[in-house]
Amino acid sequence: MSIRTATLNGVATIEIARPEKKNALTLAMYRAMSDAIAAAGADPAVRALLITGQPGIFTSGNDIEDFVQRSADGLQSPAFDFMKALLGCDKPVIAAVTGAAIGIGTTMLLHCDFVYVSDEARLAMPFVSLGLVPEFASSLVVPQLMGNVRAAEKILLGDPFTGADAVDCGIANAVLPAGEVVLHARRIAERFNALPPGAVQESKRLLRRARAQVALETIAVEGEVFARRLRSPEAQEAFAAFFDKRKPDYTKF
Ligand code: COA
């Protein structure tokens, strides 16, 4: 199992721990994260959730091998269950971005309540360069957060960006030295031990209310296109190039 969970002092931690594959997320890992979010939601001793990775890597996104194998799963995929679990979580979710955050590594941050980024981290949403399209309602939330032109740089060109850019764009709260990011995020999470949990959860629901339904609808619309794109010759070329450790060649399309 490459997801470690632990509950300590009111904080349920979900730690992505598959460093040999740069914390790429498999179907089993999505399932484990969904289960952990559900368990934390149901446990009255848990006041906040902390999502973190390994030193130097938060997650390199969806496992590309799974993209190749599981292209037919579409909206039945455990990745969609994870998205719905995170969107539906009423308790505060704090992300400690310990390093590179690629694909869903960045888009999941759009649905966390607090995001702290290591000064060594790079974020990226390289969906287009993989022959794919944005997911996790990023096609909705990214332009809302930063405007169309900066969204185009990050989604159409897939330009990577720093933690400081993420703060500037409204994706993250602050950049911290790599050695301090998890501790800082934990301190923020532990502050919820001193706040009334009912008021926190009702307030989080209100903060998210206007966007909740449209985010779910967007995930479904994106998901249908994404599943189709996974089977496209462009994506097949991108995946083959990744495993051959070469640049993809899109001149033939
Ligand atoms: N899916 C599957 N395997 C992955 C992976 C992913 N998303 N990301 C990394 N890996 C694997 C590599 O294939 C490599 O495996 P190997 O040792 O068997 O060859 C191993 O993890 C180490 O990755 P490597 O690329 O050598 O590390 P790096 O430090 O040079 O680069 C990244 C790190 C994260 C920048 C780079 O791995 C990367 O770009 N990954 C893909 C990100 C991506 O496109 N994700 C999908 C977004 S939708």
Side-chain angles (χ1 to χ4, degrees):
M1 180 54 65
S2 313
I3 298 293
R4 294 192 197 120
T5 56
T7 297
L8 185 71
N9 195 21
V11 179
T13 300
I14 299 174
E15 181 188 343
I16 308 169
R18 195 187 174 211
E20 70 284 4
K21 292 288 179 189
K22 300 290 170 182
N23 278 1
L25 296 169
T26 61
L27 302 182
M29 290 164 74
Y30 284 119
R31 277 194 205 100
M33 291 196 293
S34 305
D35 290 350
I37 293 169
D43 182 350
V46 171
R47 298 301 179 94
L49 287 77
L50 173 64
I51 302 181
T52 187
Q54 300 299 306
I57 183 78
F58 181 62
T59 166
S60 62
N62 203 99
D63 187 293
I64 293 178
E65 184 67 37
D66 273 5
F67 271 162
V68 176
Q69 302 295 331
R70 301 281 176 157
S71 56
D73 284 2
L75 297 175
Q76 315 312 323
S77 158
F80 287 97
D81 293 338
F82 164 68
M83 294 180 195
K84 283 186 233 152
L86 188 59
L87 276 180
C89 181
D90 287 338
K91 296 184 180 178
V93 180
I94 296 94
V97 183
T98 47
I102 320 252
I104 197 167
T106 288
T107 58
M108 75 167 80
L109 305 178
L110 306 170
H111 307 287
C112 295
D113 301 293
F114 301 82
V115 175
Y116 299 98
V117 185
S118 150
D119 55 4
E120 293 172 357
R122 289 289 177 280
L123 294 82
M125 294 177 277
F127 303 111
V128 168
S129 56
L130 287 169
L132 301 173
V133 292
E135 38 72 316
F136 216 161
S138 54
S139 62
L140 171 78
V141 180
V142 172
Q144 277 178 350
L145 275 179
M146 62 189 77
N148 290 337
V149 291
R150 287 199 287 176
E153 286 172 345
K154 290 177 174 55
I155 291 185
L156 293 185
L157 291 175
D159 283 351
F161 52 105
T162 63
D165 288 334
V167 173
D168 189 44
C169 290
I171 294 179
N173 295 82
V175 182
L176 288 132
E180 292 172 26
V181 67
V182 178
L183 200 60
H184 182 83
R186 171 166 287 281
R187 271 196 221 106
I188 298 294
E190 287 178 351
R191 285 179 57 186
F192 287 98
N193 288 320
L195 288 167
V200 168
Q201 289 171 43
E202 300 258 35
S203 298
K204 175 167 173 173
R205 270 198 291 275
L206 287 169
L207 282 169
R208 302 264 157 172
R209 186 183 65 89
R211 213 166 66 192
Q213 190 55 35
V214 68
L216 278 174
E217 285 164 15
T218 306
I219 284 173
V221 172
E222 290 170 342
E224 280 180 21
V225 186
F226 197 97
R228 179 159 49 71
R229 294 298 316 169
L230 278 174
R231 297 187 291 270
S232 69
E234 290 173 2
Q236 298 304 316
E237 164 61 10
F239 303 152
F242 178 74
F243 289 115
D244 295 348
K245 301 191 189 289
R246 62 171 169 82
K247 276 192 184 306
D249 175 8
Y250 297 127
T251 56
K252 57 192 169 191
F253 297 107

PDB file of all heavy atoms in Angstrom, residues 83-113:
ATOM      1  N   MET A  83     -12.119  12.155  -6.368  1.00  0.00           N
ATOM      2  CA  MET A  83     -12.512  13.553  -6.591  1.00  0.00           C
ATOM      3  C   MET A  83     -13.799  13.875  -5.825  1.00  0.00           C
ATOM      4  O   MET A  83     -13.893  14.900  -5.151  1.00  0.00           O
ATOM      5  CB  MET A  83     -12.740  13.798  -8.087  1.00  0.00           C
ATOM      6  CG  MET A  83     -11.495  13.692  -8.935  1.00  0.00           C
ATOM      7  SD  MET A  83     -11.898  13.990 -10.683  1.00  0.00           S
ATOM      8  CE  MET A  83     -10.414  13.371 -11.470  1.00  0.00           C
ATOM      9  N   LYS A  84     -14.774  12.965  -5.914  1.00  0.00           N
ATOM     10  CA  LYS A  84     -16.053  13.218  -5.234  1.00  0.00           C
ATOM     11  C   LYS A  84     -15.858  13.216  -3.722  1.00  0.00           C
ATOM     12  O   LYS A  84     -16.461  14.029  -3.017  1.00  0.00           O
ATOM     13  CB  LYS A  84     -17.083  12.157  -5.654  1.00  0.00           C
ATOM     14  CG  LYS A  84     -17.632  12.430  -7.045  1.00  0.00           C
ATOM     15  CD  LYS A  84     -18.738  11.456  -7.376  1.00  0.00           C
ATOM     16  CE  LYS A  84     -18.447  10.771  -8.693  1.00  0.00           C
ATOM     17  NZ  LYS A  84     -18.988   9.456  -8.851  1.00  0.00           N
ATOM     18  N   ALA A  85     -15.005  12.341  -3.221  1.00  0.00           N
ATOM     19  CA  ALA A  85     -14.764  12.290  -1.761  1.00  0.00           C
ATOM     20  C   ALA A  85     -14.137  13.594  -1.280  1.00  0.00           C
ATOM     21  O   ALA A  85     -14.541  14.155  -0.257  1.00  0.00           O
ATOM     22  CB  ALA A  85     -13.860  11.101  -1.422  1.00  0.00           C
ATOM     23  N   LEU A  86     -13.165  14.099  -2.024  1.00  0.00           N
ATOM     24  CA  LEU A  86     -12.506  15.346  -1.600  1.00  0.00           C
ATOM     25  C   LEU A  86     -13.478  16.527  -1.693  1.00  0.00           C
ATOM     26  O   LEU A  86     -13.553  17.358  -0.782  1.00  0.00           O
ATOM     27  CB  LEU A  86     -11.255  15.603  -2.454  1.00  0.00           C
ATOM     28  CG  LEU A  86     -10.363  16.756  -2.001  1.00  0.00           C
ATOM     29  CD1 LEU A  86      -9.843  16.563  -0.576  1.00  0.00           C
ATOM     30  CD2 LEU A  86      -9.169  16.931  -2.951  1.00  0.00           C
ATOM     31  N   LEU A  87     -14.257  16.559  -2.800  1.00  0.00           N
ATOM     32  CA  LEU A  87     -15.235  17.652  -2.939  1.00  0.00           C
ATOM     33  C   LEU A  87     -16.287  17.606  -1.830  1.00  0.00           C
ATOM     34  O   LEU A  87     -16.770  18.641  -1.406  1.00  0.00           O
ATOM     35  CB  LEU A  87     -15.966  17.529  -4.285  1.00  0.00           C
ATOM     36  CG  LEU A  87     -15.300  18.109  -5.513  1.00  0.00           C
ATOM     37  CD1 LEU A  87     -16.189  17.882  -6.734  1.00  0.00           C
ATOM     38  CD2 LEU A  87     -15.070  19.606  -5.348  1.00  0.00           C
ATOM     39  N   GLY A  88     -16.625  16.409  -1.384  1.00  0.00           N
ATOM     40  CA  GLY A  88     -17.696  16.251  -0.399  1.00  0.00           C
ATOM     41  C   GLY A  88     -17.216  16.317   1.037  1.00  0.00           C
ATOM     42  O   GLY A  88     -18.018  16.179   1.961  1.00  0.00           O
ATOM     43  N   CYS A  89     -15.940  16.522   1.253  1.00  0.00           N
ATOM     44  CA  CYS A  89     -15.398  16.501   2.623  1.00  0.00           C
ATOM     45  C   CYS A  89     -15.744  17.804   3.341  1.00  0.00           C
ATOM     46  O   CYS A  89     -15.332  18.880   2.915  1.00  0.00           O
ATOM     47  CB  CYS A  89     -13.880  16.301   2.573  1.00  0.00           C
ATOM     48  SG  CYS A  89     -13.158  16.245   4.219  1.00  0.00           S
ATOM     49  N   ASP A  90     -16.486  17.697   4.430  1.00  0.00           N
ATOM     50  CA  ASP A  90     -16.909  18.903   5.159  1.00  0.00           C
ATOM     51  C   ASP A  90     -15.848  19.402   6.134  1.00  0.00           C
ATOM     52  O   ASP A  90     -15.931  20.521   6.619  1.00  0.00           O
ATOM     53  CB  ASP A  90     -18.189  18.609   5.950  1.00  0.00           C
ATOM     54  CG  ASP A  90     -19.384  18.492   5.022  1.00  0.00           C
ATOM     55  OD1 ASP A  90     -19.320  19.021   3.901  1.00  0.00           O
ATOM     56  OD2 ASP A  90     -20.377  17.857   5.428  1.00  0.00           O
ATOM     57  N   LYS A  91     -14.890  18.540   6.463  1.00  0.00           N
ATOM     58  CA  LYS A  91     -13.847  18.983   7.399  1.00  0.00           C
ATOM     59  C   LYS A  91     -12.734  19.689   6.628  1.00  0.00           C
ATOM     60  O   LYS A  91     -12.494  19.372   5.451  1.00  0.00           O
ATOM     61  CB  LYS A  91     -13.301  17.773   8.165  1.00  0.00           C
ATOM     62  CG  LYS A  91     -14.389  17.146   9.046  1.00  0.00           C
ATOM     63  CD  LYS A  91     -13.902  16.003   9.893  1.00  0.00           C
ATOM     64  CE  LYS A  91     -15.083  15.471  10.716  1.00  0.00           C
ATOM     65  NZ  LYS A  91     -14.718  14.311  11.556  1.00  0.00           N
ATOM     66  N   PRO A  92     -12.040  20.618   7.270  1.00  0.00           N
ATOM     67  CA  PRO A  92     -10.981  21.342   6.554  1.00  0.00           C
ATOM     68  C   PRO A  92      -9.885  20.396   6.071  1.00  0.00           C
ATOM     69  O   PRO A  92      -9.475  19.483   6.794  1.00  0.00           O
ATOM     70  CB  PRO A  92     -10.428  22.301   7.615  1.00  0.00           C
ATOM     71  CG  PRO A  92     -11.465  22.373   8.663  1.00  0.00           C
ATOM     72  CD  PRO A  92     -12.209  21.087   8.648  1.00  0.00           C
ATOM     73  N   VAL A  93      -9.446  20.627   4.830  1.00  0.00           N
ATOM     74  CA  VAL A  93      -8.362  19.822   4.251  1.00  0.00           C
ATOM     75  C   VAL A  93      -7.181  20.755   3.995  1.00  0.00           C
ATOM     76  O   VAL A  93      -7.326  21.789   3.327  1.00  0.00           O
ATOM     77  CB  VAL A  93      -8.795  19.162   2.923  1.00  0.00           C
ATOM     78  CG1 VAL A  93      -7.647  18.330   2.350  1.00  0.00           C
ATOM     79  CG2 VAL A  93     -10.032  18.290   3.123  1.00  0.00           C
ATOM     80  N   ILE A  94      -6.032  20.370   4.536  1.00  0.00           N
ATOM     81  CA  ILE A  94      -4.822  21.177   4.403  1.00  0.00           C
ATOM     82  C   ILE A  94      -3.825  20.357   3.588  1.00  0.00           C
ATOM     83  O   ILE A  94      -3.594  19.184   3.895  1.00  0.00           O
ATOM     84  CB  ILE A  94      -4.230  21.506   5.793  1.00  0.00           C
ATOM     85  CG1 ILE A  94      -5.217  22.377   6.594  1.00  0.00           C
ATOM     86  CG2 ILE A  94      -2.913  22.280   5.670  1.00  0.00           C
ATOM     87  CD1 ILE A  94      -6.133  21.689   7.501  1.00  0.00           C
ATOM     88  N   ALA A  95      -3.249  20.964   2.533  1.00  0.00           N
ATOM     89  CA  ALA A  95      -2.251  20.259   1.726  1.00  0.00           C
ATOM     90  C   ALA A  95      -0.868  20.811   2.039  1.00  0.00           C
ATOM     91  O   ALA A  95      -0.670  22.029   2.089  1.00  0.00           O
ATOM     92  CB  ALA A  95      -2.559  20.437   0.240  1.00  0.00           C
ATOM     93  N   ALA A  96       0.076  19.894   2.240  1.00  0.00           N
ATOM     94  CA  ALA A  96       1.491  20.256   2.380  1.00  0.00           C
ATOM     95  C   ALA A  96       2.179  19.737   1.120  1.00  0.00           C
ATOM     96  O   ALA A  96       2.429  18.535   0.992  1.00  0.00           O
ATOM     97  CB  ALA A  96       2.084  19.625   3.627  1.00  0.00           C
ATOM     98  N   VAL A  97       2.469  20.648   0.191  1.00  0.00           N
ATOM     99  CA  VAL A  97       3.019  20.256  -1.112  1.00  0.00           C
ATOM    100  C   VAL A  97       4.537  20.189  -0.972  1.00  0.00           C
ATOM    101  O   VAL A  97       5.244  21.189  -1.053  1.00  0.00           O
ATOM    102  CB  VAL A  97       2.571  21.254  -2.207  1.00  0.00           C
ATOM    103  CG1 VAL A  97       3.077  20.820  -3.574  1.00  0.00           C
ATOM    104  CG2 VAL A  97       1.048  21.380  -2.221  1.00  0.00           C
ATOM    105  N   THR A  98       5.015  18.958  -0.748  1.00  0.00           N
ATOM    106  CA  THR A  98       6.413  18.743  -0.364  1.00  0.00           C
ATOM    107  C   THR A  98       7.380  18.794  -1.545  1.00  0.00           C
ATOM    108  O   THR A  98       8.595  18.766  -1.343  1.00  0.00           O
ATOM    109  CB  THR A  98       6.527  17.368   0.315  1.00  0.00           C
ATOM    110  OG1 THR A  98       5.808  16.416  -0.504  1.00  0.00           O
ATOM    111  CG2 THR A  98       5.919  17.375   1.704  1.00  0.00           C
ATOM    112  N   GLY A  99       6.850  18.829  -2.765  1.00  0.00           N
ATOM    113  CA  GLY A  99       7.711  18.848  -3.950  1.00  0.00           C
ATOM    114  C   GLY A  99       6.829  18.895  -5.178  1.00  0.00           C
ATOM    115  O   GLY A  99       5.686  19.384  -5.101  1.00  0.00           O
ATOM    116  N   ALA A 100       7.330  18.355  -6.292  1.00  0.00           N
ATOM    117  CA  ALA A 100       6.594  18.451  -7.557  1.00  0.00           C
ATOM    118  C   ALA A 100       5.147  17.973  -7.400  1.00  0.00           C
ATOM    119  O   ALA A 100       4.882  16.958  -6.742  1.00  0.00           O
ATOM    120  CB  ALA A 100       7.306  17.605  -8.617  1.00  0.00           C
ATOM    121  N   ALA A 101       4.264  18.736  -7.993  1.00  0.00           N
ATOM    122  CA  ALA A 101       2.829  18.407  -7.970  1.00  0.00           C
ATOM    123  C   ALA A 101       2.345  18.505  -9.413  1.00  0.00           C
ATOM    124  O   ALA A 101       2.186  19.599  -9.945  1.00  0.00           O
ATOM    125  CB  ALA A 101       2.073  19.384  -7.071  1.00  0.00           C
ATOM    126  N   ILE A 102       2.136  17.344 -10.033  1.00  0.00           N
ATOM    127  CA  ILE A 102       1.841  17.323 -11.473  1.00  0.00           C
ATOM    128  C   ILE A 102       0.439  16.778 -11.694  1.00  0.00           C
ATOM    129  O   ILE A 102       0.011  15.867 -10.970  1.00  0.00           O
ATOM    130  CB  ILE A 102       2.859  16.424 -12.222  1.00  0.00           C
ATOM    131  CG1 ILE A 102       4.255  16.599 -11.661  1.00  0.00           C
ATOM    132  CG2 ILE A 102       2.775  16.637 -13.729  1.00  0.00           C
ATOM    133  CD1 ILE A 102       5.240  17.315 -12.451  1.00  0.00           C
ATOM    134  N   GLY A 103      -0.244  17.306 -12.701  1.00  0.00           N
ATOM    135  CA  GLY A 103      -1.578  16.803 -13.057  1.00  0.00           C
ATOM    136  C   GLY A 103      -2.515  16.920 -11.878  1.00  0.00           C
ATOM    137  O   GLY A 103      -2.696  17.999 -11.307  1.00  0.00           O
ATOM    138  N   ILE A 104      -3.054  15.769 -11.470  1.00  0.00           N
ATOM    139  CA  ILE A 104      -3.997  15.794 -10.338  1.00  0.00           C
ATOM    140  C   ILE A 104      -3.297  16.226  -9.046  1.00  0.00           C
ATOM    141  O   ILE A 104      -3.947  16.666  -8.094  1.00  0.00           O
ATOM    142  CB  ILE A 104      -4.726  14.431 -10.199  1.00  0.00           C
ATOM    143  CG1 ILE A 104      -5.972  14.572  -9.324  1.00  0.00           C
ATOM    144  CG2 ILE A 104      -3.786  13.349  -9.672  1.00  0.00           C
ATOM    145  CD1 ILE A 104      -6.920  13.385  -9.380  1.00  0.00           C
ATOM    146  N   GLY A 105      -1.972  16.168  -9.049  1.00  0.00           N
ATOM    147  CA  GLY A 105      -1.209  16.701  -7.911  1.00  0.00           C
ATOM    148  C   GLY A 105      -1.455  18.187  -7.744  1.00  0.00           C
ATOM    149  O   GLY A 105      -1.455  18.713  -6.626  1.00  0.00           O
ATOM    150  N   THR A 106      -1.665  18.888  -8.849  1.00  0.00           N
ATOM    151  CA  THR A 106      -2.025  20.308  -8.778  1.00  0.00           C
ATOM    152  C   THR A 106      -3.541  20.486  -8.699  1.00  0.00           C
ATOM    153  O   THR A 106      -4.038  21.264  -7.883  1.00  0.00           O
ATOM    154  CB  THR A 106      -1.469  21.067 -10.001  1.00  0.00           C
ATOM    155  OG1 THR A 106      -0.047  21.170  -9.855  1.00  0.00           O
ATOM    156  CG2 THR A 106      -2.035  22.478 -10.092  1.00  0.00           C
ATOM    157  N   THR A 107      -4.300  19.734  -9.500  1.00  0.00           N
ATOM    158  CA  THR A 107      -5.753  20.007  -9.526  1.00  0.00           C
ATOM    159  C   THR A 107      -6.427  19.645  -8.205  1.00  0.00           C
ATOM    160  O   THR A 107      -7.429  20.264  -7.853  1.00  0.00           O
ATOM    161  CB  THR A 107      -6.445  19.304 -10.710  1.00  0.00           C
ATOM    162  OG1 THR A 107      -6.231  17.889 -10.631  1.00  0.00           O
ATOM    163  CG2 THR A 107      -5.927  19.826 -12.044  1.00  0.00           C
ATOM    164  N   MET A 108      -5.860  18.672  -7.451  1.00  0.00           N
ATOM    165  CA  MET A 108      -6.500  18.370  -6.161  1.00  0.00           C
ATOM    166  C   MET A 108      -6.352  19.559  -5.195  1.00  0.00           C
ATOM    167  O   MET A 108      -7.186  19.748  -4.307  1.00  0.00           O
ATOM    168  CB  MET A 108      -5.968  17.067  -5.537  1.00  0.00           C
ATOM    169  CG  MET A 108      -4.604  17.165  -4.923  1.00  0.00           C
ATOM    170  SD  MET A 108      -4.195  15.718  -3.883  1.00  0.00           S
ATOM    171  CE  MET A 108      -3.703  14.514  -5.095  1.00  0.00           C
ATOM    172  N   LEU A 109      -5.310  20.386  -5.405  1.00  0.00           N
ATOM    173  CA  LEU A 109      -5.091  21.531  -4.514  1.00  0.00           C
ATOM    174  C   LEU A 109      -6.215  22.555  -4.640  1.00  0.00           C
ATOM    175  O   LEU A 109      -6.487  23.303  -3.699  1.00  0.00           O
ATOM    176  CB  LEU A 109      -3.745  22.205  -4.824  1.00  0.00           C
ATOM    177  CG  LEU A 109      -2.522  21.288  -4.786  1.00  0.00           C
ATOM    178  CD1 LEU A 109      -1.267  22.070  -5.165  1.00  0.00           C
ATOM    179  CD2 LEU A 109      -2.360  20.640  -3.406  1.00  0.00           C
ATOM    180  N   LEU A 110      -6.874  22.571  -5.820  1.00  0.00           N
ATOM    181  CA  LEU A 110      -7.962  23.523  -6.049  1.00  0.00           C
ATOM    182  C   LEU A 110      -9.141  23.246  -5.122  1.00  0.00           C
ATOM    183  O   LEU A 110     -10.015  24.087  -4.968  1.00  0.00           O
ATOM    184  CB  LEU A 110      -8.446  23.443  -7.504  1.00  0.00           C
ATOM    185  CG  LEU A 110      -7.384  23.618  -8.591  1.00  0.00           C
ATOM    186  CD1 LEU A 110      -7.957  23.285  -9.960  1.00  0.00           C
ATOM    187  CD2 LEU A 110      -6.835  25.055  -8.575  1.00  0.00           C
ATOM    188  N   HIS A 111      -9.151  22.042  -4.526  1.00  0.00           N
ATOM    189  CA  HIS A 111     -10.283  21.636  -3.691  1.00  0.00           C
ATOM    190  C   HIS A 111      -9.878  21.429  -2.232  1.00  0.00           C
ATOM    191  O   HIS A 111     -10.647  20.884  -1.448  1.00  0.00           O
ATOM    192  CB  HIS A 111     -10.918  20.373  -4.284  1.00  0.00           C
ATOM    193  CG  HIS A 111     -11.255  20.564  -5.728  1.00  0.00           C
ATOM    194  ND1 HIS A 111     -12.310  21.350  -6.150  1.00  0.00           N
ATOM    195  CD2 HIS A 111     -10.619  20.136  -6.856  1.00  0.00           C
ATOM    196  CE1 HIS A 111     -12.316  21.368  -7.479  1.00  0.00           C
ATOM    197  NE2 HIS A 111     -11.312  20.641  -7.933  1.00  0.00           N
ATOM    198  N   CYS A 112      -8.661  21.848  -1.903  1.00  0.00           N
ATOM    199  CA  CYS A 112      -8.240  21.845  -0.494  1.00  0.00           C
ATOM    200  C   CYS A 112      -8.534  23.232   0.074  1.00  0.00           C
ATOM    201  O   CYS A 112      -8.670  24.204  -0.670  1.00  0.00           O
ATOM    202  CB  CYS A 112      -6.747  21.528  -0.386  1.00  0.00           C
ATOM    203  SG  CYS A 112      -6.342  19.847  -0.941  1.00  0.00           S
ATOM    204  N   ASP A 113      -8.619  23.325   1.388  1.00  0.00           N
ATOM    205  CA  ASP A 113      -8.964  24.619   1.998  1.00  0.00           C
ATOM    206  C   ASP A 113      -7.743  25.474   2.278  1.00  0.00           C
ATOM    207  O   ASP A 113      -7.839  26.708   2.293  1.00  0.00           O
ATOM    208  CB  ASP A 113      -9.743  24.364   3.290  1.00  0.00           C
ATOM    209  CG  ASP A 113     -10.997  23.573   2.994  1.00  0.00           C
ATOM    210  OD1 ASP A 113     -11.882  24.121   2.319  1.00  0.00           O
ATOM    211  OD2 ASP A 113     -11.056  22.386   3.368  1.00  0.00           O
TER     212      ASP A 113
END
